[in-house]
Amino acid sequence: PAGLHGVGRDAASRARLRCNACVVAVEALYDDVEGERARRGGRVTLELAVDVMERTCARVGREFGLQMRDDRVTEMFSDDATVARARGRWITTYVSEACGTLIDGEHDEAWVELVNGGGNRRREVMCFERNRVCESAEAAKNANSARGAPGRDEL
């Protein structure tokens, strides 16, 4: 499609998309579970975390797209409706699959620990240490942020 300019077409781009998708899924999951914890004023139980995460994953695939910059698709995901975003099944599949992997049951206890413990390293823990989606802890930390955004020559 017009405007893609190689995004998602080679192995390196797909790897960055998978890492970025993992990070946005981690942030959405953490924000929703943390919000529920704060609303209830206490610690998160495993049952509550699983319920909230399932609802989060049901919506992330619908809400995220790839940000557009200068009429070109970037490798950065966004759910901000005020930002131009490319949408499509192949794009939302990245976030939906990342979210599903993060809540597959193997990581439930880690989520409860992260939320109850402050979650400072959630990107690195979930997208590098536990899932190896990102190539390094640093890549996970900086993914889908201004520091992790592809430069103009990379688009």
Side-chain angles (χ1 to χ4, degrees):
L4 289 181
H5 301 283
V7 172
R9 296 196 181 187
D10 61 55
S13 179
R14 287 189 300 273
R16 288 188 299 271
L17 286 169
R18 281 190 299 277
C19 180
N20 287 346
C22 182
V23 166
V24 298
V26 163
E27 293 301 325
L29 289 163
Y30 181 83
D31 289 348
D32 287 1
V33 175
E34 171 58 22
E36 190 65 23
R37 185 201 64 76
R39 189 177 74 75
R40 292 178 182 239
R43 296 182 67 78
V44 173
T45 64
L46 180 59
E47 295 77 22
L48 176 62
V50 169
D51 180 55
V52 172
M53 291 187 303
E54 287 174 352
R55 284 184 277 139
T56 300
C57 283
R59 78 173 164 77
V60 296
R62 294 187 312 268
E63 295 179 359
F64 281 90
L66 289 174
Q67 289 183 14
M68 301 286 292
R69 184 183 306 136
D70 299 327
D71 293 325
R72 296 172 84 179
V73 177
T74 70
E75 294 175 343
M76 292 178 59
F77 288 91
S78 176
D79 63 346
D80 184 345
T82 65
V83 173
R85 295 172 290 161
R87 305 290 304 232
R89 186 176 187 102
W90 74 272
I91 294 170
T92 57
T93 296
Y94 278 97
V95 180
S96 295
E97 287 181 0
C99 201
T101 299
L102 291 165
I103 68 163
D104 68 0
E106 181 180 331
H107 307 296
D108 292 348
E109 293 291 337
W111 277 111
V112 172
E113 289 175 27
L114 281 169
V115 172
N116 289 329
N120 293 334
R121 296 188 61 248
R122 60 188 171 271
R123 292 174 170 205
E124 298 95 318
V125 169
M126 299 308 289
C127 295
F128 174 65
E129 293 171 15
R130 292 187 68 88
N131 286 312
R132 298 287 180 193
V133 177
C134 298
E135 66 183 29
S136 67
E138 191 66 20
K141 180 179 176 182
N142 293 328
N144 216 65
S145 66
R147 290 180 294 167
R152 276 200 134 347
D153 56 333
E154 295 178 66
L155 294 175

